[in-house]
Amino acid sequence: LGSVPDGPVTLEASQIDVAGNGGRSPPRMLAKDTVAPVIQAIAVDSGALATNRLPATLSLASPDAAFMAVSSSPTCVNPIYVPFLPVSPVVLSPAGADATVSAKVRDVAGNESECAADGILYDIVPAVVSITTPEIFVNSANAAAFPIGGTC
């Protein structure tokens, strides 16, 4: 079927046995699809640079996808497919580092997309803020404004 274009295909078979008896199969309709789906967009938490919450949200855009495989491996090794969802929860790891989420999609014919990935900083460390200004009094002379220093 290599030279047959994608689309509906009708298959029929016939045979003549050694005694000269002929037979023909009923026609069988098949669909030929050799075009892999494409991941048009992938984003963790809508493309944010960082997050501090789990699960994060993975968004995928792939109109022809029927199944998806999501992984924390940037190379999509040994994909395990589940039904396609355009938005799904995803667990990030490790905490305090850049996390990569990769995905492949597959159509109903079994064609697989290329691996696509997005990254996000998964940061659950609270910010440290300190005031370094020595104790001062707020009085009538500085009530409107007074200097404060600090670090974060």
Side-chain angles (χ1 to χ4, degrees):
L1 294 174
S3 63
V4 176
D6 280 10
V9 176
T10 303
L11 292 180
E12 295 179 279
S14 61
Q15 178 180 345
I16 299 174
D17 65 18
V18 294
N21 300 308
R24 180 177 286 280
S25 72
R28 176 115 187 232
M29 296 300 294
L30 302 175
K32 181 180 178 187
D33 177 0
T34 60
V35 178
V38 174
I39 296 177
Q40 296 173 341
I42 180 171
V44 178
D45 278 358
S46 301
L49 297 176
T51 188
N52 64 356
R53 65 182 183 83
L54 284 181
T57 302
L58 176 67
S59 301
L60 289 173
S62 183
D64 297 325
F67 303 95
M68 66 183 191
V70 177
S71 171
S72 59
S73 163
T75 58
C76 297
V77 176
N78 301 321
I80 298 172
Y81 285 95
V82 297
F84 179 80
L85 294 170
V87 177
S88 63
V90 63
V91 176
L92 304 173
S93 65
D98 288 325
T100 298
V101 177
S102 59
K104 288 181 89 169
V105 295
R106 189 172 68 194
D107 63 16
V108 293
N111 300 306
E112 290 185 334
S113 72
E114 296 292 322
C115 185
D118 189 31
I120 191 167
L121 173 63
Y122 175 40
D123 185 359
I124 58 171
V125 178
V128 177
V129 180
S130 64
I131 296 175
T132 59
T133 301
E135 284 189 41
I136 58 172
F137 287 96
V138 178
N139 57 37
S140 61
N142 67 3
F146 54 91
I148 294 181
T151 61
C152 5

